[in-house]
Amino acid sequence: MTAEPAANPQPSAQPSPGWRNGAAAVAMLTFAVDGVTPVLAAGRRHADNAMAITHQQFDARRGTPRLLDILDEFGIKATFFVPGISAELWPALVTDMVERGHDVAHHSYSHRPATQLTVAEERIEFERGYEALARLGITPNGYRSPMWAATWNSAGLAVEHGLSYDTSLMDDDRPYVIETDHGPLVELPPHWSLDDWEQYAYLPEPHLGYVIEPPEKALALWTAELDGLREFGGLFQLTAHSFLSGRAGRARNLRRMIEIIYDRGDVTFMTGTQLRDAVLVDPTVERRRLEPLAVDPAVYPTW
């Protein structure tokens, strides 16, 4: 069954043509297929923890297939961020995403935050993750830093390898273009308030989170953000993790969130690549360079 959007009411803001294509807001549904990588990134000793590993393997066994089926119910195309290790462990799952028409994007190799790596290590992580997708015949357009922990080098590294959009920086709620030494990179800003990790993540060892909130709370938070972004003309980028939002009650909650977006009638769905294309042809979109912050060591003497 394919759900059809409700008839369009008057939008809550006067949208302008451009990257929103006349809609009040753009909804971009994104899913991180992290699998075992967050557990192993906390230390390889956790590979001996059968509970923790199987908790993450729910991602491929049940979570991602369930979420893919829900997206099929609505005919929505989403964006899946896949670490290289997940691509190596579950190649059939990742190619299934492509075959269903979804946007598969780069999410490092091992899910270690780039801010904890040297410049050389960040490059190796990036290249190994890119190559893992390439072995499946996938050329990604987008990149998301693990834990959104981008460095000042991350944007240039993405463009150097042919990627054209990123979802790691949080200084806006509308897309913009980063001018790098290697060319432009479309930034699609995310935010923690639209991430299911802060609502659902519970794993005591390794510590990935200590919360299990009711899905209704997450739905209320996300709906408030949706309506705010409709008023101000922004990007509603929902970030879900298949080992979290793929659980049964939470999956039903995600379906309800999609229904709410449709019911608003003035929001359009886009993948990361579709939104990139819309941004690049919009002459009103802001273009800027990333400028590292210079910090006075006399004021902040601690490393």
Side-chain angles (χ1 to χ4, degrees), residues 1-13:
M1 179 188 73
T2 300
E4 297 294 335
N8 288 354
Q10 287 295 319
S12 54

Side-chain angles (χ1 to χ4, degrees), residues 86-101:
S86 293
E88 291 173 348
L89 289 173
W90 306 316
L93 181 70
V94 178
T95 55
D96 184 39
M97 298 169 193
V98 176
E99 289 168 0
R100 297 196 197 203

Side-chain angles (χ1 to χ4, degrees), residues 143-292:
Y143 179 67
R144 172 177 287 167
S145 296
M147 304 299 294
W148 289 316
T151 72
W152 298 110
N153 300 314
S154 300
L157 192 60
V159 178
E160 180 185 343
H161 287 80
L163 278 72
S164 49
Y165 74 86
D166 174 74
T167 74
S168 304
L169 306 180
M170 298 192 181
D171 55 349
D172 211 327
D173 55 18
R174 299 178 183 181
Y176 59 92
V177 177
I178 300 170
E179 299 288 4
T180 80
D181 292 339
H182 300 282
L185 181 71
V186 173
E187 181 61 35
L188 309 176
H191 192 256
W192 299 105
S193 60
L194 291 173
D195 186 352
D196 67 348
W197 197 295
E198 283 61 51
Q199 306 303 316
Y200 300 148
Y202 177 87
L203 195 65
E205 180 64 25
H207 174 208
L208 297 186
Y210 284 153
V211 297
I212 300 181
E213 298 285 3
E216 295 79 9
K217 176 178 176 290
L219 186 68
L221 173 63
W222 298 340
T223 301
E225 282 299 303
L226 172 69
D227 289 336
L229 291 164
R230 288 172 59 236
E231 177 179 348
F232 295 107
L235 169 60
F236 178 86
Q237 182 178 178
L238 186 66
T239 297
H241 297 77
S242 308
F243 73 94
L244 296 173
S245 282
R247 293 282 172 179
R250 300 163 180 180
R252 294 179 71 235
N253 194 58
L254 181 69
R255 180 191 284 119
R256 180 59 189 141
M257 186 72 245
I258 294 172
E259 291 170 345
I260 289 171
I261 295 170
Y262 268 129
D263 288 345
R264 293 301 188 262
D266 55 6
V267 180
T268 188
F269 288 89
M270 292 189 192
T271 66
T273 296
Q274 289 170 337
L275 185 50
R276 174 209 65 186
D277 291 344
V279 168
L280 288 175
V281 298
D282 184 351
T284 69
V285 168
E286 182 181 1
R287 291 175 173 261
R288 63 179 86 152
R289 293 189 70 89
L290 292 180
E291 299 293 343

Side-chain angles (χ1 to χ4, degrees), residues 28-35 58-60 62-73 75-84 86-87 90-108 111 129 133 136 138-145 148 163 165 167 188 196 237-246 254 258 270-274:
M28 178 179 164
L29 303 184
T30 74
F31 299 89
V33 190
D34 292 342
F58 179 88
D59 195 329
R62 193 67 62 199
T64 299
R66 179 175 287 155
L67 295 174
L68 284 168
D69 287 345
I70 288 175
L71 292 170
D72 282 352
E73 292 176 21
I76 293 173
K77 305 307 177 187
T79 305
F80 287 81
F81 290 89
V82 182
S86 293
W90 306 316
L93 181 70
V94 178
T95 55
D96 184 39
M97 298 169 193
V98 176
E99 289 168 0
R100 297 196 197 203
H102 299 294
D103 195 2
V104 173
H106 187 350
H107 195 34
S108 85
H111 206 273
L133 294 177
L136 300 180
I138 298 170
T139 302
N141 293 317
Y143 179 67
R144 172 177 287 167
S145 296
W148 289 316
L163 278 72
Y165 74 86
T167 74
L188 309 176
D196 67 348
Q237 182 178 178
L238 186 66
T239 297
H241 297 77
S242 308
F243 73 94
L244 296 173
S245 282
L254 181 69
I258 294 172
M270 292 189 192
T271 66
T273 296
Q274 289 170 337

